[in-house]
């Protein structure tokens, strides 16, 4: 299969993809190989990128066994544009980029995995995988060079035993992960870490999971239950040989019942604070969110700080059903979620890294809503929609404060019409307003809602597919919240809303050939 994007106006982007699969030959072997390459100047000022990847795989297919080895490797170069921009600056230049023209990054990722499936017994199936992954990269901004080097390897196995009425799935998963973080003062020069070291630390994480899933079937429906045990070890070592060790254990249950097309599910899920949760929360306690050191600097906190961060706990109940009547098909799901110790974005942006700092909310946050999607097929005309309605709040159901960057309404509406080998369609997407900060040092502020519309034409003939997509066909300007504060020419902090801008009207034409 060969596909290429011939042109996209305004950003001058281009993509090329090649993929080949041999199918299973006489020796029961198949292999695949694929490559991709993309480049573009970016929509915002000096925000271009160049990247490419390669995918490969080989498989052996026997009567009772399947063995596969597959992986990929990718490399990307980007000019950076992650700082939010205040509205007065956007009005002067819609494409303004507060990152310097010299701010850029380089990242490389490699992944390889081996998988074995055995199914000699009709009632018993065995599946096991091992994998290795690493990510290396650096980026610079504001006279500082940041970087990470990470490695992860692990394995997972599961056994599925099936009888007439019961399916039992038991599995284990273990992985080891370490990531080195470093930062240098480099006078704004890229990839030259020869000046003063600002920080250096390495995190080591071990994760072990065991689970069992049981489905009991009868003529009335299916009763199912999951139970997951998880143990996490996390160790941080900084460049002063200090060491911080943490351990968490979790038991996560889930039960549910499904009859025909309706179901009800209840679950409790817990997770540990992440590395970012730990470091960013520590900095907020010390510096009250403003003028903090870069959150990668673990020298600023100790065990007393981390002990205040309790694991996040989500209690969830969901009820849903599917309707399929003639030309109408609709799915609907309702949910209630009570979350203890949720790590919520404050909206405050760290002035050095541009990352958004977080805080641990000790009270219960609430999320509840309805999700639905559906289609109506009338001969050659197809109508479709998605809808998400949510009520969310901090410190209980009746709190007036909303969870940051969480819209109450996300919806889309579309239609397509088929004329022999041509399909013409359009979609519109709506996102309601969002809270941009937690009211710590200032009142809670909200972004404006936005609506975009797109259109497309697909043409299929034999092995060739041509696609024309026109995005944001009404050339609307819309603004996506990026948090509070920005860096000006003097690197001063400002507690004002900042935004990312949406791309104005643009189009692309792609061609795909299958052989």
């Amino acid at each position: 299969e060969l596909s290429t994007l011939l042109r996209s106006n305004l950003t001058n982007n281009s993509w090329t993809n090649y993929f080949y699969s041999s199918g299973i030959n006489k020796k029961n072997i198949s292999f695949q190989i694929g490559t991709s390459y993309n480049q573009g100047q970016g929509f915002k000022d000096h925000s271009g990128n160049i990247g490419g990847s390669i995918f490969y795989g080989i498989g052996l297919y026997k009567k009772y066994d399947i063995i596969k080895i597959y992986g990929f490797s990718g490399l990307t170069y980007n000019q950076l544009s992650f700082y939010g921009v205040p509205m007065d600056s956007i009005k002067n230049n819609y494409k303004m980029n507060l990152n310097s023209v010299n701010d850029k990054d380089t990242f490389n990722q490699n992944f390889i995995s081996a998988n074995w499936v055995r199914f000699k017994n009709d009632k018993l199936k065995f599946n096991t995988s091992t994998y290795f992954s690493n990510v290396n990269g650096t980026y610079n901004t504001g006279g500082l060079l940041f970087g990470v080097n990470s490695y992860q390897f692990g394995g997972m196995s599961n056994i599925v035993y099936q009888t007439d009425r019961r399916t039992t799935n038991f599995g284990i998963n273990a992985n080891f992960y370490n990531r080195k973080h470093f930062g240098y003062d480099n006078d704004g020069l890229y990839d030259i870490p020869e000046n003063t070291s600002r920080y250096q630390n390495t995190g080591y994480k071990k994760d072990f999971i065991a689970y069992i899933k049981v489905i009991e079937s009868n003529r009335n429906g299916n009763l199912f239950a999951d139970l997951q045990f998880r143990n996490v070890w996390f160790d941080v070592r900084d460049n002063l040989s200090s060491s911080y060790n943490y351990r968490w254990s979790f038991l996560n249950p889930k039960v549910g019942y499904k009859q025909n097309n309706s179901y009800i599910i209840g679950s409790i899920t817990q997770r540990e604070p992440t590395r970012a949760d730990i470091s960013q929360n520590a900095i907020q306690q010390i510096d009250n969110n403003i003028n903090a050191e870069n959150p990668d600097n673990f020298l600023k906190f100790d065990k007393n700080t981390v002990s205040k961060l309790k694991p996040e706990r989500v209690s969830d109940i969901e009820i849903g059903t599917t309707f399929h009547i003639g030309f109408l098909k609709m799915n609907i799901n309702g949910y209630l979620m009570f979350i203890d110790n949720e790590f919520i974005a404050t909206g405050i942006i760290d002035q050095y890294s541009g990352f958004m700092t977080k805080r641990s909310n000790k009270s219960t946050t609430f999320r509840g809503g309805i999700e639905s999607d559906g289609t109506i097929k009338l001969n050659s005309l197809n109508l479709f929609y998605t809808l998400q309605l949510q009520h969310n709040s901090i410190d209980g159901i009746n709190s007036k404060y909303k969870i940051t960057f969480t819209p109450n309404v996300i919806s889309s509406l579309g239609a397509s019409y088929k004329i022999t080998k041509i399909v013409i369609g359009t979609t519109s997407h709506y996102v309601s307003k969002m809270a941009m900060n937690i009211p710590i040092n200032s009142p809670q502020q909200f972004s404006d809602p936005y609506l975009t519309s797109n259109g497309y034409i697909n043409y299929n003939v034999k092995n060739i597919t041509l696609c024309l997509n026109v995005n944001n066909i009404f050339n609307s300007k819309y603004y996506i919240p990026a948090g509070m504060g920005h860096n000006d020419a003097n690197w001063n902090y400002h507690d004002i809303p900042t935004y990312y801008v949406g791309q104005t009207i643009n189009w692309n034409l792609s061609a795909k050939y299958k052989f």
Side-chain angles (χ1 to χ4, degrees):
E1 181 179 287
L2 165 64
S3 62
T4 181
L5 184 67
L6 300 180
R7 178 176 172 81
S8 175
N9 72 328
L10 295 180
T11 56
N12 291 329
N13 292 333
S14 61
W15 293 267
T16 302
N17 301 284
Y18 301 90
F19 182 80
Y20 174 77
S21 178
S22 67
I24 301 176
N25 62 23
K26 295 180 180 180
K27 296 183 178 181
N28 297 317
I29 295 175
S30 73
F31 65 90
Q32 304 86 34
I33 188 167
T35 64
S36 67
Y37 174 81
N38 69 83
Q39 66 175 7
Q41 70 180 32
F43 177 69
K44 297 178 70 173
D45 296 339
H46 52 84
S47 61
N49 71 287
I50 299 175
S53 64
I54 182 171
F55 168 83
Y56 53 89
I58 185 170
L60 174 64
Y61 297 82
K62 294 292 190 178
K63 185 176 182 180
Y64 301 117
D65 299 272
I66 299 175
I67 300 173
K68 294 180 181 180
I69 298 175
Y70 54 91
F72 65 84
S73 181
L75 180 65
T76 182
Y77 301 90
N78 300 288
Q79 292 180 296
L80 301 183
S81 59
F82 57 78
Y83 284 129
V85 182
M87 187 59 70
D88 56 352
S89 298
I90 293 175
K91 289 181 179 179
N92 291 329
N93 178 8
Y94 189 71
K95 299 183 180 182
M96 176 171 284
N97 183 358
L98 288 183
N99 283 91
S100 165
V101 68
N102 296 317
D103 289 357
K104 49 190 175 180
D105 70 20
T106 301
F107 278 88
N108 164 248
Q109 182 177 7
N110 303 284
F111 175 86
I112 187 169
S113 178
N115 176 254
W116 172 35
V117 179
R118 183 166 177 82
F119 45 90
K120 185 175 182 179
N121 190 316
D122 291 339
K123 296 183 178 181
L124 189 66
K125 180 182 290 186
F126 172 78
N127 185 344
T128 189
S129 297
T130 60
Y131 61 89
F132 172 82
S133 176
N134 81 290
V135 177
N136 303 290
T138 56
Y139 77 95
N140 71 307
T141 181
L144 303 177
L145 178 70
F146 304 105
V148 296
N149 302 115
S150 68
Y151 300 89
Q152 182 180 36
F153 61 93
M156 61 190 77
S157 286
N158 78 296
I159 297 174
V160 179
Y161 182 72
Q162 190 165 3
T163 61
D164 292 340
R165 292 190 175 183
R166 179 179 299 170
T167 300
T168 304
N169 187 333
F170 173 76
I172 58 174
N173 182 338
N175 64 81
F176 305 87
Y177 179 68
N178 71 77
R179 185 166 67 182
K180 176 182 178 182
H181 293 248
F182 57 86
Y184 293 88
D185 293 309
N186 71 335
D187 299 327
L189 301 175
Y190 180 64
D191 207 19
I192 307 178
E194 60 185 14
N195 296 330
T196 304
S197 175
R198 179 170 288 263
Y199 67 89
Q200 181 174 303
N201 57 75
T202 304
Y204 302 86
K205 185 176 182 180
K206 294 181 290 185
D207 201 335
F208 174 79
I209 300 171
Y211 65 87
I212 183 170
K213 303 180 179 182
V214 179
I215 302 175
E216 188 77 26
S217 303
N218 56 47
R219 66 180 63 183
N220 296 320
N222 296 328
L223 177 67
F224 53 91
D226 298 358
L227 185 63
Q228 180 199 74
F229 169 76
R230 183 164 175 260
N231 216 353
V232 183
W233 298 265
F234 183 49
D235 179 25
V236 181
R237 301 171 192 170
D238 60 38
N239 56 348
L240 295 183
S241 299
S242 299
S243 182
Y244 310 95
N245 299 283
Y246 317 103
R247 179 179 176 178
W248 298 273
S249 296
F250 305 112
L251 197 62
N252 299 320
K254 178 194 293 185
V255 294
Y257 181 74
K258 182 177 181 180
Q259 184 175 13
N260 298 324
N261 294 321
S262 301
Y263 60 86
I264 181 171
I265 301 171
S267 66
I268 297 175
T269 306
Q270 303 169 85
R271 76 162 178 95
E272 73 283 2
T274 67
R275 183 184 185 281
D277 294 329
I278 293 171
S279 61
Q280 292 170 345
N281 185 273
I283 287 171
Q284 291 168 42
Q285 293 184 23
I286 294 171
D287 291 296
N288 198 27
N289 299 309
I290 298 177
N291 297 323
E293 290 290 333
N294 180 270
D296 279 316
N297 192 346
F298 270 79
L299 302 181
K300 295 212 62 165
F301 71 92
D302 56 28
K303 279 194 141 182
N304 291 328
T305 300
V306 178
S307 66
K308 299 176 183 179
L309 296 177
K310 297 180 180 180
E312 187 175 282
R313 176 187 173 99
V314 180
S315 301
D316 175 46
I317 184 169
E318 299 190 23
I319 301 175
T321 190
T322 297
F323 299 97
H324 196 176
I325 305 173
F327 54 80
L328 171 65
K329 183 176 182 181
M330 183 172 67
N331 304 306
I332 187 168
N333 178 73
Y335 63 93
L336 296 173
M337 299 173 62
F338 296 91
I339 310 173
D340 297 318
N341 309 310
E342 182 176 2
F343 296 98
I344 303 173
T346 61
I348 305 299
I349 299 173
D350 171 58
Q351 66 172 351
Y352 291 96
S353 66
F355 296 142
M356 194 174 298
T357 57
K358 299 181 180 180
R359 68 186 284 264
S360 176
N361 182 17
K362 301 303 182 183
S363 301
T364 298
T365 58
F366 172 77
R367 300 170 189 256
I370 297 174
E371 303 167 325
S372 180
D373 65 84
T375 58
I376 298 176
K377 291 188 176 182
L378 302 171
N379 296 323
S380 297
L381 177 64
N382 186 27
L383 306 175
F384 49 90
Y385 80 94
T386 64
L387 177 64
Q388 298 179 46
L389 301 175
Q390 182 184 114
H391 171 74
N392 64 80
S393 59
I394 300 172
D395 299 328
I397 296 177
N398 297 320
S399 172
K400 65 179 180 179
Y401 297 121
K402 301 300 181 181
I403 298 174
T404 47
F405 308 102
T406 307
N408 288 335
V409 182
I410 301 176
S411 64
S412 65
L413 182 65
S416 65
Y417 189 80
K418 185 174 182 180
I419 308 172
T420 61
K421 298 179 180 180
I422 299 175
V423 178
I424 302 173
T426 180
T427 58
S428 293
H429 303 275
Y430 172 79
V431 178
S432 67
K433 68 179 184 179
M434 289 175 266
M436 297 185 63
N437 66 317
I438 290 177
I440 300 175
N441 299 319
S442 61
Q444 193 163 49
Q445 300 192 47
F446 292 85
S447 64
D448 291 328
Y450 59 86
L451 173 70
T452 59
S453 298
N454 310 313
Y456 61 89
I457 300 176
N458 296 341
Y459 176 71
N460 297 280
V461 54
K462 294 183 178 179
N463 295 335
I464 299 176
T465 302
L466 299 176
C467 301
L468 173 64
N469 295 282
V470 182
N471 304 308
N472 197 357
I473 54 180
F474 297 114
N475 201 31
S476 303
K477 291 184 178 181
Y478 59 99
Y479 311 96
I480 303 167
M484 305 295 290
H486 75 285
N487 296 312
D488 63 13
N490 298 315
W491 295 91
N492 294 321
Y493 180 86
H494 301 269
D495 190 19
I496 60 175
T498 67
Y499 302 88
Y500 301 120
V501 297
Q503 189 172 347
T504 50
I505 186 170
N506 62 94
W507 60 270
N508 60 68
L509 177 65
S510 65
K512 182 184 292 184
Y513 179 73
K514 196 171 185 179
F515 55 89

